[in-house]
Amino acid sequence: RAGAGGGAPAMGSSGGFDGGGGFASASAPTPGAPGTGIAPPVTMGRAMGGMHAPPAMGGMAAMAYGQGMVPSTASAPPIGAPPIGAPPQSPQYPPQYPPQYPPQYPPQSPMGMAPQPPMGAMAPPPVPGPGMPAMGGYPQAGGYGAPAMNFVEDFASLNLGPGGGPGGEAGMDPATFPRPGDDEARPNLELSCDPKYMRLTCGALPSSPSLKTRFAMPLGCIVQPLRPGDETTVKTAHFGSSGIVRCRRCRTYINPFVQFTDGGRRFRCNVCALPNEVPVDYFCTLDANGVRRDIAERPELNSGTVEFLASQEYMVRPPMPPSYFFALDVSHTAVNSGFLKQTVEVIRDSLDVMSKKSERTRVGFLTYDSTLHFYSLKANQSQPQMMVVAELDDPFCPMPDDLLVNLAESRAVIDAFLDMVCDTYAQTQNMESAMGPAIQAAFLAMSHIGGKLLVFQSCLPTLGAGRMINRDDTRASTDSTKEHLLRGPVDGFFKKTSAECSRHQICIDLYTIAAPFSDLASMAVLCKFTGGELRHYPGFTPDKDGVKYAKELKNNLTRFTAWEAVCRVRCSRGFRICAFNGHFFIRSMDLLALPATDGDKAYGVHIAHDEVVPSTNISYLQCALLYTSAEGERRIRVHTMAVPVVTDIAEMYRAVDCGAMGAFMARLGAERTLTVRLQDAREAVMTKVVATLREFKLLNTQASRAFNRLIFPESMKLLPLWIFAASKSAAMRGGPRDVPVDARIAAVYDFMSASTEEILKLLYPTMHALHTMPEEAGTKDEYGRVILPPRTVLAGERIDARGAYLVDDGRRLLLWLGKMLDPQFVAALFGPSGPPSADVDCNLPHLDTDVSRRARAVVDDIRAEASRARHLALTVVIQGHPSETQLFPYLIEDRGAANVPGASSYGEFLVQLHRQVSAAQR
């Protein structure tokens, strides 16, 4: 909060974006107004090369923003603010430390924010008991949240231009824009599953379609049925001989929200309200409160997440064994780049873990260039037997029973194959690739069992079905209405093949290194419709990609995998699941076919109203994943959650989960780029945000009279940033020529399978200033967590030529070194040899210096906290070197090139958003 005569917020101000973030209630005093004691904010210019302050628009001043705004004491504190009397919270971004050298750039305004305390230092929220409100402030029954009459005072505002009259406000200050800290999900209701499994975009559902139309934003849920490492922590429920207890009409699994009646002899389904008979061997009497006496011993009745052991009725065939079939490209490109050798080494290193997970594990191999090479790996052979098939138009599978063999029984033959395959093709000059026929042949070898087909491709397929031509030159076409065709498959072969593979429980994972063009748009549908994953390493070299590729491939082979899975999401009467987003094949209206899935994949679920109007104030969602484990058990993972149903749109605005909404909108926008122009995809996302902010402004009479202010609910203060960041992401930014088409496709499919946390990290990466690390940064706190340096804003004006900045987007690490960085700092970090080149994955050397120890601790902690499915390669770039351009896409708050569509700065985007909201009202 600003003191008298000062425009900078005090470090002791309350929470995140209230004290220093410029969010004010309608009755907040005006900075610069007489008698307030609040100085007007200082306008900031842009200092990076070619960056300057955005021009005035329609009489509005250059970007500046009420830095000294404070909430009125007469108004209720905004949602998320600390209670009155609570100790002040640490803001997110601290001011820059004093420079060691004369500044090269104009002075920087202080951020007014400090790093958040580590998650381990925060006490968990209290668990509500009987008669207490449920988690997140939701009552267990009856009304929802605070009275709606206070809603007119519950808003935040962002000053976008000079106020009218004498002593009016100055412009907005970019230093106080809302920016994200650590993402925290809105807690679900008591007894519901953890939001890490099912996370709603809005924690309240509208009671009518008209209310949903007014709200405008999509109602959805990001579902992640499995999480890494939870296969041993989720409790398993056991039933008697009668089997799993379910509703006989809607087939909902028993859960904590069913109501037992008639002394425990019946239970009422919470989804369809049908009374059901309790099986005799499941019966238990009720206590005086109508609760089963054995509820503490029944995980299905006291936990929102549980697993069931499925009986014979849930099987259409015996449980399949874990099966892996490897299709290896052995053309000249694969051999010469080291891709084949790296792949073989990772497979060899993973065999022991694969064998330990299950004695039933099966593996098979196929190599291909201009012909197909099969290998018989029977246990009674001393060496693999190779068979060559030259027929590509109608490939066949010789000796199909000997191609997919038991790993433990044939281990010696498999090791012999891996030892000889690289030497066999070491001198090859064959540049052709018959990828399509290889997939067809692998399908014939696997179709009787199913499993995971891993395809390793090094160049553009040139022979047989699915052959491609380099169509990247079509980006030069001036017909913008057809630009999206390059982001779609060239023909229907791969989609037809993927549908057939899904039907036979075959999941396809694709690893490709082709550069500069590999037509991922055509090949990616193999992963999308079989529940697989796509990994692209353009221009593969062992020094740059070797460690990253090895870790990610080994994780794929050794992680917990759910085989031959199907997933269904059910909801209460009045609502229905209308669409899905992710990697799957829709087998029926609401059944997702997942030949193989794991804890690194998430799915988007769209919720719509049914023909029947909801009749209760609580609705329920249940996600059930039926799968086969590596041990051959048929299991069902069930997540259940309760959601309030409201009649007031104000309560919906209060219940928005901004992180989930931002990730969900990014998913929708990325998927839309595959079928429409990039500009149309960005506008479709923007239209929804404009509509919801317009409706919110109409609800607030005080807000409607605000001059040059963008009005939004406190719960949605970061939504404009997430939408803006999505439009700047590789999946959606610019025009068809501004991002390589393969990189764009890889980003799109990454969004469509990533978790909420990963998407938000991709949208707004973290950047840490290493040259100004406080003394405690890089050391461990009392909870054993490494303390990270303060975060820095992703804007060119925050980049100092005397600094070293570490950028983390959850997929890679980038270390930028300024040309005026202290040479002693460089020597202490890298040693006398100096920083490595930008085309290697850097490992910071172990030096006996304080800078080296703390920087390595920071990098190691970031890598450890990243998804287990990823390795964050560290690239070092130096200011002035051509490789420095790798930093620019991360500076999303800056204005892009003038000829790039949608390349506005963050401030310009907010002005544009405000104009559209105001224009819609007029």
Side-chain angles (χ1 to χ4, degrees):
R1 300 178 187 277
M11 290 302 295
S13 61
S14 66
F17 294 100
D18 280 306
F23 294 103
S25 66
S27 55
T30 302
T36 61
I38 301 176
V42 181
T43 302
M44 296 177 58
R46 301 204 171 262
M48 201 85 174
M51 302 176 186
H52 50 81
M57 297 185 180
M60 296 185 181
M63 302 300 146
Y65 176 158
Q67 171 173 322
M69 306 293 289
V70 296
S72 169
T73 56
S75 302
I79 293 177
I84 297 175
Q89 300 176 355
S90 298
Q92 299 285 342
Y93 298 84
Q96 299 289 330
Y97 283 81
Q100 301 176 0
Y101 306 101
Q104 176 188 8
Y105 299 133
Q108 303 177 11
S109 298
M111 290 296 299
M113 310 177 191
Q116 216 175 24
M119 294 179 65
M122 301 180 182
V127 178
M132 295 177 59
M135 296 174 67
Y138 299 126
Q140 297 187 35
Y144 171 82
M149 66 182 66
N150 295 332
F151 187 65
V152 295
E153 301 176 358
D154 184 16
F155 69 90
S157 62
L158 184 61
N159 183 25
L160 294 176
E169 301 170 77
M172 70 177 173
D173 183 358
T176 54
F177 286 176
R179 295 181 177 96
D182 293 330
D183 175 60
E184 294 184 7
R186 173 181 287 273
N188 292 334
L189 288 180
E190 185 181 10
L191 297 179
S192 295
C193 64
D194 194 290
K196 68 183 180 181
Y197 295 113
M198 298 180 70
R199 187 168 173 181
L200 285 167
T201 59
C202 180
L205 297 178
S207 59
S208 64
S210 60
L211 189 61
K212 178 183 181 300
T213 302
R214 290 176 58 195
F215 183 63
M217 299 300 290
L219 293 177
C221 182
I222 297 181
V223 178
Q224 196 167 359
L226 305 173
R227 296 281 293 194
D230 71 350
E231 57 271 13
T232 58
T233 59
V234 175
K235 296 180 180 179
T236 301
H238 300 277
F239 297 90
S241 58
S242 58
I244 299 174
V245 180
R246 305 176 66 179
C247 175
R248 68 177 187 270
R249 179 167 65 188
C250 69
R251 308 303 293 163
T252 296
Y253 295 91
I254 193 165
N255 59 79
F257 302 102
V258 302
Q259 182 181 2
F260 288 90
T261 60
D262 195 15
R265 296 180 181 86
R266 298 173 183 267
F267 73 89
R268 184 179 298 277
C269 176
N270 57 301
V271 171
C272 69
L274 179 73
N276 292 265
E277 296 288 339
V278 174
V280 175
D281 54 358
Y282 192 69
F283 171 78
C284 180
T285 58
L286 309 182
D287 62 14
N289 296 321
V291 179
R292 283 176 60 113
R293 298 184 186 277
D294 65 346
I295 188 171
E297 292 79 34
R298 291 288 184 182
E300 72 274 17
L301 299 180
N302 58 40
S303 175
T305 296
V306 69
E307 276 204 346
F308 303 139
L309 285 175
S311 57
Q312 193 69 32
E313 62 181 301
Y314 294 88
M315 307 179 192
V316 296
R317 64 172 184 170
M320 61 170 284
S323 303
Y324 301 86
F325 199 91
F326 301 92
L328 304 173
D329 182 358
V330 292
S331 64
H332 175 75
T333 304
V335 175
N336 195 48
S337 64
F339 183 54
L340 176 63
K341 180 180 179 181
Q342 186 82 56
T343 303
V344 170
E345 290 177 353
V346 175
I347 295 174
R348 181 188 293 109
D349 293 342
S350 305
L351 291 181
D352 288 338
V353 180
M354 295 166 63
S355 182
K356 289 179 181 178
K357 282 185 173 293
S358 174
E359 296 178 352
R360 309 183 311 140
T361 302
R362 296 192 176 196
V363 297
F365 295 90
L366 176 151
T367 59
Y368 63 95
D369 42 28
S370 59
T371 56
L372 309 181
H373 321 127
F374 297 86
Y375 300 89
S376 173
L377 304 171
K378 289 191 298 184
N380 58 2
Q381 299 176 180
S382 59
Q383 293 292 326
Q385 180 182 352
M386 178 178 175
M387 296 157 284
V388 179
V389 174
E391 176 59 48
L392 301 182
D393 294 332
D394 187 17
F396 62 94
C397 185
M399 304 175 64
D401 296 336
D402 300 337
L403 300 180
L404 201 57
V405 297
N406 184 278
L407 173 58
E409 296 175 357
S410 302
R411 180 63 185 270
V413 187
I414 294 171
D415 287 338
F417 165 77
L418 295 175
D419 291 338
M420 55 82 68
V421 65
C422 290
D423 295 335
T424 301
Y425 301 99
Q427 304 301 322
T428 183
Q429 298 299 319
N430 195 329
M431 303 293 293
E432 305 293 342
S433 173
M435 173 186 168
I439 293 176
Q440 290 177 317
F443 169 79
L444 296 176
M446 302 177 65
S447 57
H448 64 293
I449 295 179
K452 189 182 281 281
L453 171 59
L454 296 99
V455 181
F456 303 89
Q457 181 68 20
S458 67
C459 58
L460 204 64
T462 56
L463 298 175
R467 59 182 175 272
M468 304 175 189
I469 60 173
N470 190 342
R471 54 186 182 129
D472 191 34
D473 55 358
T474 59
R475 289 195 298 166
S477 173
T478 58
D479 187 0
S480 61
T481 61
K482 297 182 179 181
E483 71 171 56
H484 65 278
L485 298 179
L486 187 61
R487 298 187 288 275
V490 66
D491 60 33
F493 167 76
F494 289 109
K495 185 174 182 179
K496 180 181 177 181
T497 301
S498 61
E500 194 67 17
C501 286
S502 177
R503 192 167 67 88
H504 287 81
Q505 302 296 342
I506 298 174
C507 167
I508 300 179
D509 292 340
L510 179 62
Y511 293 82
T512 176
I513 66 169
F517 181 71
S518 59
D519 205 350
L520 289 186
S522 295
M523 295 187 288
V525 296
L526 292 169
C527 309
K528 174 177 172 56
F529 293 113
T530 62
E533 64 184 24
L534 170 68
R535 296 295 170 88
H536 186 44
Y537 308 88
F540 177 93
T541 62
D543 290 340
K544 175 172 65 73
D545 306 297
V547 176
K548 179 179 179 65
Y549 171 62
K551 179 179 178 181
E552 294 177 353
L553 176 56
K554 186 172 184 178
N555 176 76
N556 186 2
L557 298 177
T558 59
R559 66 188 169 192
F560 176 81
T561 302
W563 303 93
E564 52 181 347
V566 291
C567 182
R568 173 173 274 131
V569 180
R570 297 178 174 88
C571 49
S572 298
R573 294 187 64 188
F575 298 96
R576 62 185 177 88
I577 304 302
C578 62
F580 298 88
N581 174 275
H583 293 188
F584 52 80
F585 189 84
I586 298 182
R587 187 173 295 178
S588 63
M589 288 293 294
D590 60 347
L591 186 68
L592 304 184
L594 306 170
T597 187
D598 52 75
D600 298 312
K601 294 182 176 63
Y603 311 93
V605 176
H606 299 246
I607 303 173
H609 282 86
D610 205 350
E611 298 175 355
V612 180
V613 177
S615 57
T616 62
N617 60 356
I618 296 289
S619 183
Y620 301 92
L621 294 175
Q622 186 178 85
C623 169
L625 179 75
L626 173 63
Y627 70 94
T628 299
S629 67
E631 296 79 13
E633 293 180 330
R634 200 71 172 145
R635 305 180 71 93
I636 307 173
R637 175 73 64 89
V638 178
H639 306 288
T640 310
M641 66 183 300
V643 190
V645 178
V646 300
T647 58
D648 190 348
I649 194 172
E651 297 170 352
M652 294 189 64
Y653 280 113
R654 284 196 185 96
V656 169
D657 185 328
C658 197
M661 184 69 78
F664 199 81
M665 295 290 287
R667 278 174 164 268
L668 299 184
E671 185 178 40
R672 194 173 177 84
T673 61
L674 300 178
T675 55
V676 301
R677 297 186 312 151
L678 295 169
Q679 183 64 26
D680 294 339
R682 292 191 294 265
E683 290 177 355
V685 175
M686 184 73 165
T687 299
K688 292 185 177 295
V689 179
V690 170
T692 194
L693 294 185
R694 175 190 60 197
E695 180 65 29
F696 179 80
K697 190 172 184 180
L698 291 174
L699 294 174
N700 293 271
T701 55
Q702 299 183 41
S704 299
R705 296 193 297 268
F707 183 72
N708 276 348
R709 284 185 176 274
L710 179 63
I711 306 300
F712 44 83
E714 184 72 18
S715 61
M716 298 174 67
K717 63 186 177 184
L718 289 176
L719 186 60
L721 174 62
W722 296 133
I723 301 306
F724 170 71
S727 69
K728 286 287 193 82
S729 67
M732 298 176 65
R733 74 168 176 258
R737 307 184 196 181
D738 296 315
V739 177
V741 64
D742 284 336
R744 194 184 297 277
I745 292 298
V748 167
Y749 282 91
D750 193 6
F751 273 162
M752 290 169 59
S753 63
S755 65
T756 301
E757 300 84 359
E758 291 177 310
I759 293 176
L760 297 183
K761 195 67 168 288
L762 285 168
L763 293 180
Y764 199 93
T766 58
M767 183 164 66
H768 306 280
L770 299 185
H771 62 293
T772 57
M773 286 191 294
E775 294 182 0
E776 66 274 10
T779 63
K780 292 185 177 180
D781 60 14
E782 55 183 318
Y783 302 97
R785 292 175 55 94
V786 175
I787 301 174
L788 299 180
R791 293 176 61 172
T792 306
V793 176
L794 298 177
E797 61 189 11
R798 297 294 175 180
I799 302 295
D800 195 329
R802 300 154 298 183
Y805 297 88
L806 181 67
V807 183
D808 165 30
D809 69 349
R811 297 294 182 261
R812 63 178 295 199
L813 294 174
L814 185 72
L815 179 57
W816 183 90
L817 305 177
K819 61 184 179 183
M820 297 176 61
L821 182 61
D822 187 353
Q824 295 182 0
F825 180 91
V826 177
L829 184 59
F830 296 103
S833 60
S837 63
D839 55 359
V840 301
D841 181 4
C842 173
N843 284 317
L844 296 178
H846 291 252
L847 304 177
D848 189 20
T849 64
D850 181 65
V851 171
S852 175
R853 284 190 295 268
R854 293 198 292 154
R856 281 188 288 105
V858 169
V859 171
D860 292 344
D861 182 73
I862 291 175
R863 283 175 166 169
E865 291 294 322
S867 168
R868 294 191 312 172
R870 303 282 179 172
H871 169 76
L872 307 187
L874 175 60
T875 303
V876 180
V877 298
I878 301 175
Q879 185 181 14
H881 191 272
S883 61
E884 184 192 15
T885 56
Q886 298 181 54
L887 174 70
F888 299 155
Y890 293 117
L891 304 178
I892 62 173
E893 295 196 18
D894 288 333
R895 185 190 298 112
N899 59 343
V900 176
S904 60
S905 68
Y906 188 16
E908 292 169 337
F909 174 83
L910 293 174
V911 170
Q912 178 188 7
L913 178 61
H914 171 62
R915 284 186 162 187
Q916 293 188 24
V917 171
S918 302
Q921 285 185 294
R922 292 195 293 269

